[in-house]
């Protein structure tokens, strides 16, 4: 891997693609700097070896037009404070002003470019736009694992303009090592905990994981499609009827590969999709019409915690066990997070990834108590599926 470790960037203007897609409140204050902090080791390494740094990122989903709300200008202050250094902001990522600023940089300078997605060409993967971006650097570093599965101008297209001067950033490298570590770990039993809303978005990952794991917990909204496929009554719970057959096939495949599938035993059912709805705990396969399962129930929680999670040595978690955004349906997700923390304390390796599971960990202030928190959501799933990610493929030399 063409890592930046042990590389000197003396006199080099280094263009870094980072993932600074951070939450910003209505006053323009960055409310969570985790993603900025995650990019600091790469930025420091380049500055410390005598280079200068041009930072580019997307922020949110602008409709290819400038809005103050999604301006990276809001990141100048927290980034300067974290780096303990002035950061110069350029109000467009391409054009004359940006070119003038980046061509005059001296070693130690840090420039932050405006939101890449203010130009539709970024997501379109436009080569001419990528070439304009490329002019800001003598070399290119990709440190944005979260967007590595995208074939965008700044994540993959741009690499063609750097020949041998393209590198994996330290965060990207660390993410790949952590996930590879789980896939290839010999510390067994190996457990995957997969939750979230949709079977359709995760069934291929689960199928792939069956080759490497010993057991899997399937929770969250996607569990009901499996329960229905097994003949259970799921009332008005979330279901993808088009996937019933695939779910049945997957259960058979798991059995053939000696992978134990743990589905929830009970559920907290509600008569409306609402925090204030009436609730009752029922068996997972006996949910009445008019009721929907919105969280795993107490018997599932203790079974998963004691009989499954505490026995595992390597654990991967992606996707919440219920509608954790609503207070009355967050217990299952909190309990899984706590069980992972306990397993970590007892020596298991635990990797958590995906926007919602990480948001849940942060919400319960447990993020620093598991072994590794991945910044990738879609990228993590595609990497686990064994797909070749455009952002990674583009920088391999
Ligand atoms: P995903 O993006 O597929 O990981 O799904 C995350 C979403 O799944 C979260 O917003 C949860 O609220 C939602 N979710 C989890 N469990 C359920 C459930 N039982 N019914 C409906 N939505 C759920």
């Amino acid at each position: 891997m063409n890592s930046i470790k042990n590389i000197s960037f003396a006199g080099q203007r280094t263009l870094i693609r980072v993932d600074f897609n951070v939450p910003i409140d209505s006053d323009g204050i960055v409310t969570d700097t985790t993603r900025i902090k995650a990019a600091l080791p790469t930025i420091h390494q380049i500055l410390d070896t005598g280079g200068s740094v041009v930072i580019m990122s997307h922020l949110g989903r602008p409709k290819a037009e400038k809005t103050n709300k999604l301006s990276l200008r809001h990141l100048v202050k927290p980034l300067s404070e974290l780096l303990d250094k002035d950061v110069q902001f350029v109000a467009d990522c391409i054009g004359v002003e940006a070119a003038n600023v980046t061509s005059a940089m001296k070693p130690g300078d840090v420039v932050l470019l405006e939101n890449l997605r203010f130009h539709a060409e970024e997501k379109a993967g436009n080569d001419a736009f990528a070439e304009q971006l490329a002019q800001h650097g003598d070399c290119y570093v990709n440190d944005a694992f979260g967007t590595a599965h995208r074939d965008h101008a700044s994540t993959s297209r741009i690499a063609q303009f750097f020949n041998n001067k393209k590198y994996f950033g330290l965060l990207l490298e660390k993410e790949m090592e952590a996930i590879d570590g789980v896939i290839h770990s010999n510390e067994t039993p190996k457990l995957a905990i997969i939750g979230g809303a949709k079977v359709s978005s995760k069934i291929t990952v689960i199928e792939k994981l069956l080759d490497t794991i010993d057991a899997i917990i399937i929770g969250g909204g996607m569990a009901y499609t499996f329960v229905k496929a097994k003949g259970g009554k799921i009332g008005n719970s979330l279901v993808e009827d088009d996937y019933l057959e695939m779910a049945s096939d997957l259960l058979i495949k798991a059995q053939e590969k000696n992978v134990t599938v743990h589905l929830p035993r009970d559920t907290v059912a509600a008569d409306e999709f609402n925090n204030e709805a009436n609730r009752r705990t029922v068996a997972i396969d006996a949910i009445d019409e008019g009721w929907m399962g919105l969280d795993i129930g107490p018997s599932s929680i203790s079974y998963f915690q004691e009989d499954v999670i505490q026995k595992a040595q390597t654990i991967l978690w992606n996707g919440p066990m219920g509608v954790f955004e609503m207070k009355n349906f967050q217990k299952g997700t909190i309990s899984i997070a706590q069980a992972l923390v306990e397993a970590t304390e007892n020596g298991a390796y635990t990797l958590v990834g995906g926007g919602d599971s990480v948001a849940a960990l942060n919400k319960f202030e447990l993020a620093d108590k598991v072994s590794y928190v991945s910044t990738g959501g879609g990228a993590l799933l595609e990497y686990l599926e064994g797909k070749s990610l455009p952002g990674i493929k583009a920088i391999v030399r």
Side-chain angles (χ1 to χ4, degrees):
M1 185 185 292
N2 29 313
S3 161
I4 64 167
K5 277 180 197 157
N6 307 317
I7 299 277
S8 167
F9 288 88
Q12 301 279 310
R13 283 179 313 149
T14 309
L15 180 59
I16 316 178
R17 175 53 156 108
V18 296
D19 180 3
F20 280 178
N21 187 21
V22 294
I24 296 180
D25 70 13
S26 53
D27 296 324
I29 308 289
V30 175
T31 53
D32 182 350
T33 55
T34 309
R35 286 188 168 155
I36 303 180
K37 287 182 185 146
L40 294 178
T42 290
I43 299 173
H44 280 305
Q45 149 91 15
I46 293 159
L47 295 176
D48 293 351
T49 57
S52 57
V53 168
V54 180
I55 301 170
M56 58 179 176
S57 177
H58 75 285
L59 174 61
R61 295 182 175 175
K63 299 234 168 352
E65 61 181 36
K66 290 190 178 186
T67 62
N68 180 49
K69 190 170 179 282
L70 295 177
S71 171
L72 279 165
R73 188 183 293 278
H74 303 301
L75 279 78
V76 171
K77 190 164 178 277
L79 179 61
S80 310
E81 283 169 5
L82 286 165
L83 283 172
D84 196 17
K85 202 170 213 336
D86 284 342
V87 171
Q88 187 175 356
F89 178 71
V90 184
D92 196 352
C93 58
I94 53 167
V96 177
E97 192 204 339
N100 285 343
V101 170
T102 57
S103 58
M105 288 174 82
K106 292 188 216 45
D109 286 351
V110 179
V111 167
L112 175 65
L113 301 177
E114 181 57 289
N115 194 345
L116 293 158
R117 290 198 191 161
F118 284 168
H119 293 268
E121 293 88 342
E122 162 64 1
K123 277 181 83 174
N126 181 292
D127 286 329
F129 177 70
E131 191 170 14
Q132 288 185 68
L133 291 173
Q135 283 160 15
H136 297 309
D138 305 313
C139 43
Y140 168 74
V141 175
N142 190 350
D143 211 19
F145 180 65
T147 48
H149 60 315
R150 304 288 186 210
D151 189 14
H152 293 174
S154 69
T155 59
S156 57
R157 297 299 170 142
I158 194 167
Q160 65 185 294
F161 304 104
F162 290 94
N163 293 320
N164 284 336
K165 293 198 146 191
K166 50 189 182 185
Y167 303 92
F168 288 80
L170 298 174
L171 175 65
L172 182 58
E173 188 179 347
K174 198 167 78 170
E175 292 273 7
M176 291 167 67
E177 279 170 5
I179 305 166
D180 286 339
V182 166
I183 296 171
H184 303 296
S185 169
N186 294 323
E187 298 293 322
T188 56
K190 261 162 83 172
L191 169 71
I193 306 170
I194 306 288
K198 289 190 173 168
V199 181
S200 50
S201 62
K202 300 196 180 161
I203 199 145
T204 42
V205 179
I206 298 179
E207 217 175 320
K208 185 80 187 173
L209 285 172
L210 293 181
D211 292 330
T212 54
I213 56 175
D214 302 295
I216 181 166
I217 290 175
I218 299 177
M222 58 188 282
Y224 301 94
T225 299
F226 286 91
V227 174
K228 186 170 177 183
K230 288 178 75 175
K233 265 177 60 192
I234 60 162
N236 293 39
S237 304
L238 204 62
V239 67
E240 286 174 278
D241 284 318
D242 295 351
Y243 282 82
L244 288 171
E245 207 177 311
M246 269 181 102
S248 293
D249 288 349
L250 193 123
L251 293 172
I252 295 167
K253 270 187 204 147
Q255 212 170 14
E256 285 167 1
K257 296 188 176 190
N258 265 331
V259 177
T260 315
V261 178
H262 301 282
L263 286 167
R265 295 178 165 184
D266 57 350
T267 179
V268 180
D271 58 358
E272 266 180 77
F273 190 80
N274 183 328
N275 187 50
E276 307 312 324
N278 293 308
R279 277 171 284 148
R280 60 187 191 203
T281 299
V282 295
I284 193 86
D285 56 356
I287 308 173
D288 287 335
E289 280 307 310
W291 291 77
M292 60 191 94
L294 296 186
D295 196 8
I296 56 173
S299 138
S300 312
I301 291 174
S302 54
Y303 168 61
F304 289 164
Q305 279 182 329
E306 288 151 33
D307 292 321
V308 188
I309 297 175
Q310 294 320 325
K311 291 186 178 151
Q313 285 306 312
T314 306
I315 307 174
L316 164 79
W317 178 28
N318 173 276
M321 293 292 105
V323 187
F324 75 104
E325 299 92 336
M326 296 184 198
K327 223 174 162 52
N328 287 330
F329 305 102
Q330 66 179 24
K331 191 150 188 246
T333 304
I334 298 183
S335 307
I336 294 300
Q338 285 166 337
L340 252 68
V341 169
E342 207 180 318
T344 316
E345 282 165 2
N346 292 335
Y349 183 85
T350 51
L351 186 149
V352 184
D356 282 306
S357 356
V358 175
L361 272 186
N362 285 333
K363 184 168 167 165
F364 314 135
E365 295 182 4
L366 298 173
D368 57 350
K369 297 192 167 72
V370 294
S371 310
Y372 191 79
V373 177
S374 171
T375 56
L380 169 68
L381 293 177
E382 290 195 19
Y383 194 88
L384 287 168
E385 273 176 54
K387 284 190 181 160
S388 151
L389 308 194
I392 292 176
K393 196 170 154 204
I395 47 174
V396 171
R397 297 205 294 247

